[in-house]
Amino acid sequence: MQIIDLSQEIHVGMPMHHTQPPVEISVHATHEAWEGIENPATQTPSVNTLKMSEHTGTHVDALSHMSRANAGQTIDTMPLESFYTRGICLDLSSKQLSEEITVEDLQEALAKQGLSIQKGDTVLIHTDHYRRHYKTPDWPNNPGLTEAATRWLGEQQIAAFGVESMAPGIKGKTNKQVHKVCGEMGFTHYENLINLHRLIDKGAFQFIGLPLKIKGGTGSPVRAIAVLG
């Protein structure tokens, strides 16, 4: 068995979508304070305080995030089976900045890699955008799904799809529509995945991306992994 970590590191100063607040991490308590040491020469953290959005780093969107029509379909109400599935990874690394990923692109990648989509799958989409553009001015300018491609994925009855960028669609062009289609059709997506290049030509694998059980949550950070073998 091999476990591949698909999750970004969460840290102060990490790139965030422009609609989300920055990450703040501070020391809440130290071992020295707990032990009653006066004027300690060291400050060893025992508890940190985190302040961040539900949509920080590698995360999954609740259906309630997609549109007003999905109010009430929060992350704590979504079945755990949605986050523990068979997975496949499609190679769309030929796509350039802000380029559309179409139905035909998905179908060609499936055929070229000898893969098929099964009901309940998580379909990961490798564009290599993370390795090429993370922490650069082009990080927001990812290639992304069209509305039609998103609807086509929904018609395959997938549980979710995942991308290695901070949006599943193209900024200012298709991103809102991609979210709305997910809400309408009842499937979700993961954003800010990494290491998808390590899944190319590996066939099917076990995908796990369990969210925190946030009451009323519109999404949640996840520790996404792929289990091979």
Side-chain angles (χ1 to χ4, degrees):
M1 182 180 69
Q2 180 185 11
I3 295 177
I4 296 178
D5 189 356
L6 307 180
S7 307
Q8 289 184 9
E9 181 181 64
I10 295 174
H11 62 88
V12 173
M14 68 185 297
M16 293 293 299
H17 193 272
H18 71 276
T19 62
Q20 303 300 313
V23 173
E24 297 179 24
I25 304 175
S26 59
V27 176
H28 175 72
T30 66
H31 288 286
E32 288 81 359
W34 282 358
E35 294 170 15
I37 301 173
E38 295 184 6
N39 302 315
T42 60
Q43 295 286 339
T44 311
S46 54
V47 180
N48 287 329
T49 297
L50 308 182
K51 184 178 180 181
M52 62 186 191
S53 163
E54 301 159 312
H55 301 266
T56 294
T58 305
H59 69 275
V60 65
D61 285 356
L63 295 180
S64 63
H65 176 70
M66 308 304 182
S67 74
R68 287 188 295 168
N70 299 103
Q73 294 178 285
T74 54
I75 200 70
D76 51 315
T77 69
M78 295 173 67
L80 291 178
E81 289 81 3
S82 300
F83 313 112
Y84 188 100
T85 73
R86 177 182 180 268
I88 60 171
C89 187
L90 302 184
D91 188 0
L92 276 299
S93 58
S94 63
K95 291 295 179 178
Q96 301 303 309
L97 292 170
S98 302
E99 188 174 355
E100 291 184 345
I101 297 172
T102 66
V103 175
E104 293 73 22
D105 291 327
L106 297 174
Q107 292 173 336
E108 289 176 9
L110 283 165
K112 183 176 181 180
Q113 294 175 242
L115 297 171
S116 61
I117 299 176
Q118 298 180 11
K119 180 180 179 180
D121 276 358
T122 296
V123 178
L124 306 184
I125 300 173
H126 168 54
T127 60
D128 221 15
H129 188 70
Y130 177 83
R131 292 197 298 173
R132 292 170 179 167
H133 300 294
Y134 187 65
K135 294 186 178 180
T136 76
D138 279 322
W139 177 237
N141 302 320
N142 54 277
L145 290 172
T146 64
E147 180 178 351
T150 310
R151 194 169 297 279
W152 183 82
L153 285 172
E155 291 168 353
Q156 313 313 304
Q157 297 182 285
I158 64 172
F161 69 90
V163 297
E164 51 192 354
S165 50
M166 61 181 178
I170 298 172
K171 180 181 68 174
K173 187 174 181 181
T174 69
N175 196 48
K176 288 184 179 179
Q177 293 89 333
V178 168
H179 280 79
K180 287 183 178 180
V181 169
C182 288
E184 290 170 8
M185 301 187 74
F187 66 102
T188 190
H189 56 259
Y190 297 83
E191 300 166 10
N192 291 317
L193 296 165
I194 66 170
N195 287 331
L196 297 191
H197 63 285
R198 298 180 61 186
L199 300 176
I200 300 302
D201 296 327
K202 299 295 186 182
F205 48 85
Q206 188 74 54
F207 175 82
I208 304 173
L210 293 170
L212 299 174
K213 196 172 183 179
I214 303 170
K215 185 175 182 179
T218 67
S220 172
V222 300
R223 185 65 179 266
I225 62 171
V227 183
L228 306 180

